[in-house]
Amino acid sequence: MTTAPRPSVAVIGFGAMARSLQGNLAARPQGPQITSCLLAPDSARSVPSEIAVHRTAGDLAASRPDLVVECAGHHALAEHVPQLLAAGVDVAIVSIGALCDDALRERLTRAAEAGGSRVIPVAGAVGGLDLLRAARLAGLDAVTYRGIKPPRAWAGSPAEEVFDAETLEAPLTFFEGTAREAAKAFPKNANVAAAIALAGTGLDATRVELVADPAARANCHQIEASGDFGTMSFAVENRPLPSNPKTSHLAALSIEAAVLEAFARADF
Ligand SMILES: NC(=O)c1ccc[n+]([C@@H]2O[C@H](COP(=O)([O-])OP(=O)(O)OC[C@H]3O[C@@H](n4cnc5c(N)ncnc54)[C@H](O)[C@@H]3O)[C@@H](O)[C@H]2O)c1
């Protein structure tokens, strides 16, 4: 019996998430594996020797990977993904917050149409998006996302002007607004807010509450939704990815799950 060739996956960026994905896929005897990556022109080659390095989206597209996974950030997504899609390459994206830019969303849609390719949004650090996508078909009345983190985890954001992380004693909701407003004011939280909004009621109808809680031990994401389907509440407490504490372990696992799903013959 001949063994089917392993599908080839390329990554944009080779940081914590790409590394985690590469190691986990390589450890499987079959299935997709990372064979190439796209690095920024000026960045050092710091990838395993068996992985081909490309420096432009054109070169990567010409190598015809079966799937590209963007795990490099919002700017990299805008810079490379439209060209890959237009060249007919499917791309899974993890930097969903970039989709708060309506013009970029439109560019991606047009590029995918032109190339006959697909953009696959990855759930990242949150879950429950399958339910939102299904429920919105019959109509969603309201979706609220609450992001709860320990006070110090909001350092470096506008939240620092609202409370003192060292002395806060009780939970404080320091931001309430739409997902679009939240993503703009708190770009580091944009991926989760945008993923929920785009699966459900959109960037302008999704309510966001951001909370600093001295009792929180992890970054926590809660979703509450109601509509014709009934009601839903979802909560996840994320542990960090050891190689990048700013990224949650679940976000890396969610890319792996999306890649496996993209090539699965029977996904159960
Ligand atoms: N959806 C989610 O819930 C979620 C969660 C965490 C992270 N993310 C996204 O995933 C991205 C990657 O996370 P990570 O932990 O691996 O980050 P990381 O900082 O460890 O790695 C990012 C990599 O991208 C590379 N890069 C940056 N700009 C590039 C460009 N223009 N072209 C090619 N490569 C480029 C960097 O050199 C680095 O290798 C984050 O920037 C974030 O946008 C999404």
Side-chain angles (χ1 to χ4, degrees), residues 64 118 121 138 157-158 175 181 183 190 210 255:
R64 305 309 304 169
R118 275 200 322 146
S157 82
F175 173 89
E181 290 162 352
L210 300 179
I255 302 180

Side-chain angles (χ1 to χ4, degrees), residues 76-128:
L77 191 160
E79 189 182 341
H80 303 302
V81 175
Q83 193 179 344
L84 292 165
L85 292 169
V89 181
D90 291 346
V91 185
I93 57 170
V94 72
S95 302
I96 309 277
L99 304 183
C100 291
D101 177 343
D102 295 335
L104 176 60
R105 261 199 346 271
E106 180 61 30
R107 263 177 78 206
L108 293 169
T109 306
R110 272 192 274 111
E113 280 167 4
S117 51
R118 275 200 322 146
V119 188
I120 302 166
V122 174
V126 75

